[in-house]
Amino acid sequence: MKTYIDLHIHSTASDGTFSPTEIVNKALKLAEKDSPVVIALTDHDTVAGIDEFQKAAAKHKDRLTAISGLEISTDYHGVEIHVLGYNIDIHNKELLDRLAVCRESRDGRNEKIIQKLQEQGFKISMDEIKPDKPGETIARPHIAKLLMKKKYVSSVQEAFDKYLAEGRCCYVERIMPTPEEAIHLIKNSGGIPVLAHLMLYKKLDSSQKEALVRELKEAGLIGIETYYNTYTPIEQEYVAGLAKQWGLIETGGTDFHGQNKPHISLFTGQGEMEVPQKVLENLKY
């Protein structure tokens, strides 16, 4: 019987549009009846949704396995690199303290973005952006949705394309930990650090990508995301080759964000993706 697997999912605790409970229910609905389901919640720089996620999953423990995770944004020589963490202790003090600093940095960035938008003539303020729950990460998609709500743009994508993406007039950089620090935080909390979507880092050429993998392996990296919704067969083969070369476990996920990325579905990404069951063999959960 096929196991439905998605190890890269975002909820309303960061920049997704489905609550952790809704993600559990949606995953079960999409999977064939009685088929096993393994999903991981990997919100950006927060574990605020994990308790709800695990409570919702516990009602279906005969069929569904829920992995506690997160995705930490890091700075690698000026390039934003993401490190996934699986099977983490969400009560680890060092991890929680550092994530709080990440959110404070993001909050300061949000205020600067709002200021830049105001200078462009947009009538918006930070007071109009409220988190749904304590510890939720407020990020650029929340600002994009406010712009859409006020009819300045017709979609979240348009807000990014015109104003919020890197290189646009209202983009603001933010302070982030290094990948090595993220790996330490994840391992110190009992988790498994995994390099996310290597092929999305377009600023790095192939030699720089390989240097990144080597450096992070030396820093304690355990895995690499080999299966990802935008990968071509050639890209997937390339990442799998790096995994084999450096003795890294392979993981995979769609990077599901709900309606913020409506072209991406759970389990299948843009329609053709499938995470094979073999990724679970070395992923302790």
Side-chain angles (χ1 to χ4, degrees):
M1 185 179 292
K2 175 183 176 180
T3 299
Y4 285 76
I5 304 166
D6 196 334
L7 304 178
H8 194 156
I9 302 171
H10 297 278
S11 76
T12 49
S14 64
D15 57 347
T17 59
F18 288 88
S19 71
T21 300
E22 289 171 332
I23 286 169
V24 168
N25 294 336
K26 186 174 183 65
L28 289 168
K29 185 176 180 179
L30 287 173
E32 293 179 10
K33 185 178 180 182
D34 298 328
S35 295
V37 175
V38 181
I39 53 176
L41 186 63
T42 55
D43 279 313
H44 293 286
D45 302 323
T46 185
V47 293
I50 297 295
D51 277 338
E52 179 186 338
F53 180 62
Q54 291 294 353
K55 287 176 183 176
K59 299 175 184 177
H60 310 278
K61 59 184 178 181
D62 59 324
R63 182 182 170 201
L64 184 142
T65 299
I67 299 174
S68 299
L70 83 166
E71 183 174 16
I72 300 178
S73 301
T74 73
D75 177 38
Y76 177 74
H77 306 302
V79 179
E80 184 170 329
I81 299 295
H82 292 182
V83 180
L84 294 157
Y86 295 111
N87 198 33
I88 55 172
D89 173 9
I90 65 170
H91 303 294
N92 180 271
K93 186 177 186 303
E94 183 182 5
L95 176 66
L96 293 177
D97 287 348
R98 189 63 181 86
L99 292 179
V101 172
C102 290
R103 287 195 298 274
E104 287 169 7
S105 171
R106 196 187 290 260
D107 289 344
R109 179 201 200 194
N110 290 337
E111 291 173 358
K112 291 177 182 177
I113 292 173
I114 291 293
Q115 183 178 350
K116 281 177 172 279
L117 287 166
Q118 289 170 341
E119 292 169 357
Q120 294 290 321
F122 296 104
K123 298 185 188 310
I124 62 174
S125 69
M126 278 300 298
D127 292 338
E128 295 175 279
I129 306 173
K130 301 292 185 184
D132 292 329
K133 61 183 67 176
E136 178 181 329
T137 300
I138 299 298
R140 284 179 294 165
H142 294 82
I143 298 174
K145 282 187 278 189
L146 178 59
L147 289 173
M148 188 171 67
K149 180 181 178 181
K150 294 203 163 193
K151 302 190 184 306
Y152 288 123
V153 296
S154 59
S155 67
V156 168
Q157 189 61 52
E158 183 184 352
F160 273 84
D161 290 343
K162 288 185 174 180
Y163 307 108
L164 303 179
E166 185 175 359
R168 303 310 182 202
C169 61
C170 297
Y171 177 79
V172 175
E173 292 185 343
R174 64 188 177 92
I175 300 171
M176 294 176 282
T178 64
E180 290 83 359
E181 184 181 359
I183 289 168
H184 164 77
L185 289 168
I186 291 166
K187 295 188 80 170
N188 190 55
S189 66
I192 299 171
V194 171
L195 177 61
H197 42 58
L198 175 66
M199 303 311 293
L200 293 194
Y201 308 132
K202 303 300 183 184
K203 291 184 178 180
L204 303 179
D205 61 27
S206 59
S207 64
Q208 290 170 320
K209 286 183 174 73
E210 290 165 19
L212 169 66
V213 174
R214 182 187 70 249
E215 290 171 26
L216 297 193
K217 169 66 177 181
E218 292 171 354
L221 188 72
I222 299 296
I224 190 166
E225 192 170 42
T226 303
Y227 302 90
Y228 188 74
N229 80 84
T230 63
Y231 281 3
T232 65
I234 292 175
E235 288 176 327
Q236 184 174 301
E237 184 178 355
Y238 173 75
V239 178
L242 289 174
K244 183 177 181 179
Q245 179 182 354
W246 293 104
L248 299 169
I249 69 170
E250 298 180 54
T251 71
T254 61
D255 208 354
F256 177 76
H257 282 72
Q259 291 307 307
N260 282 339
K261 294 184 179 180
H263 57 292
I264 298 174
S265 299
L266 280 174
F267 303 124
T268 59
Q270 299 182 63
E272 301 297 326
M273 182 183 168
E274 182 175 330
V275 180
Q277 189 165 345
K278 69 177 184 178
V279 304
L280 301 178
E281 294 172 4
N282 296 313
L283 185 67
K284 298 175 183 177
Y285 59 91

